Amino acid sequence: MSENDKVFAGSIPDYYDEYLVPLIFESYARDLARRVVAEPVKDVLETAAGSGVVTRALAPLLPQGARYCVTDLNPPMLERAKSRQPTDPPVEWLPADALHLPFEDQSFDAVCCQFGVMFFPDRVTGYSEARRVLRPGGRFLFNVWDTIAQNEFADIVTHVARTLLPEAHANFLARTPHGHGNPERIRAELEKAGFRHIEIETVSGVSTAADPSHPAIAYVRGTPLYGELAPHGEKMLNRIIGAATEEIRDRYGEGEVSAKIQGFVITAS
């Protein structure tokens, strides 16, 4: 992982929330929220919350009086999440590193993290921290994307960027979001962190956009891929977005377009 992979600043949070969240995150957020409340919970921690798509889905499902603490390492993303969240039910917001959580041992019944563990510099340490703050019998629930080949819009945008701008080494999507979807490695890392009961489920879905340009804009301007491409100028950015839009239109048609997405949902206790 490069330092650029963790940069969600400037205009990225706005594009992320407007284009990428409805494209790939909302359905998985609703699924993860339902899994969190499938067992009784009173105190819940969310790490790497991003722009708050899980927070918006989960907060209304928690029992009255539950404590819900939402954290992210990146303050601009956390501010974006806070701005979108209703004030009721109450949510605690805290900038925090998932590898160094500022909570006492055995503080929570559940820890959840949607598509964030791929950004951990040391996943075993991150998993160990989740285990440390869980009460006995508590659950750690999180998502990881499958390989980029199983996530078609991301694959198209990456291929176009590499073709038009090979010197940029535009590998962010393949390297980080889609570079850790290995169930055997996930299980081994969780076991190393001390978890013994681990369930890994493959969840396939459909990614839908109102226009072929939306996936191109989402991945180019709403992710750290932007940091790999932006130094080559706005004209090149628009050229990549235009070419990816045409590729998506050629493959999936005019108007509303849909493509495959696939990830893993993991429950460890």
Side-chain angles (χ1 to χ4, degrees):
M1 182 188 302
S2 74
E3 284 302 311
N4 173 76
D5 290 5
K6 296 180 285 185
V7 177
F8 287 83
S11 62
I12 291 177
D14 293 334
Y15 280 105
Y16 176 99
D17 214 26
E18 182 176 354
Y19 288 95
L20 202 61
V21 164
L23 186 70
I24 61 173
F25 289 125
E26 283 183 343
S27 62
Y28 282 95
R30 291 191 295 268
D31 176 73
L32 192 65
R34 288 193 294 267
R35 292 171 189 262
V36 171
V37 298
E39 296 184 16
V41 288
K42 182 180 178 182
D43 300 285
V44 176
L45 170 65
E46 183 181 351
T47 61
S51 64
V53 61
V54 170
T55 316
R56 294 190 288 274
L58 177 54
L61 302 182
L62 293 173
Q64 187 173 5
R67 179 193 182 197
Y68 186 13
C69 187
V70 178
T71 67
D72 195 274
L73 181 63
N74 196 298
M77 292 294 276
L78 201 62
E79 287 300 317
R80 176 75 182 190
K82 289 171 64 176
S83 73
R84 296 286 310 279
Q85 187 71 25
T87 56
D88 187 42
V91 174
E92 297 177 29
W93 304 94
L94 182 67
D97 185 345
L99 275 63
H100 303 283
L101 292 170
F103 305 105
E104 295 184 358
D105 296 358
Q106 300 183 12
S107 296
F108 297 95
D109 302 308
V111 176
C112 63
C113 180
Q114 168 148 284
F115 298 115
V117 303
M118 303 89 77
F119 294 88
F120 292 0
D122 183 334
R123 286 184 300 281
V124 173
T125 297
Y127 297 160
S128 297
E129 276 291 272
R131 183 176 180 273
R132 179 184 67 78
V133 301
L134 281 171
R135 296 181 177 125
R139 295 169 298 140
F140 178 33
L141 305 99
F142 63 98
N143 310 82
V144 175
W145 290 117
D146 203 344
T147 62
I148 198 167
Q150 300 298 325
N151 291 270
E152 294 172 347
F153 286 146
D155 196 27
I156 289 171
V157 174
T158 296
H159 175 74
V160 169
R162 287 173 175 172
T163 300
L164 294 181
L165 198 59
E167 64 270 29
H169 305 291
N171 296 316
F172 164 73
L173 294 174
R175 178 179 62 245
T176 299
H178 298 286
H180 303 284
N182 183 320
E184 292 182 3
R185 184 170 62 186
I186 293 167
R187 184 178 298 276
E189 290 172 342
L190 284 166
E191 289 175 346
K192 190 173 182 180
F195 288 98
R196 292 294 174 263
H197 303 284
I198 301 163
E199 298 178 4
I200 302 176
E201 180 182 346
T202 303
V203 178
S204 300
V206 176
S207 176
T208 300
D211 184 87
S213 67
H214 289 190
I217 296 169
Y219 285 111
V220 170
R221 296 193 181 274
T223 76
L225 177 62
Y226 177 81
E228 295 176 330
L229 303 177
H232 300 273
E234 186 69 16
K235 184 176 180 180
M236 177 55 73
L237 278 171
N238 288 329
R239 185 181 173 195
I240 292 169
I241 289 171
T245 298
E246 288 304 311
E247 178 69 22
I248 292 167
R249 181 178 290 114
D250 289 346
R251 191 177 302 188
Y252 301 102
E254 297 279 355
E256 186 175 273
V257 290
S258 297
K260 179 183 178 181
I261 50 174
Q262 185 164 293
F264 302 100
V265 183
I266 299 95
T267 303
S269 60

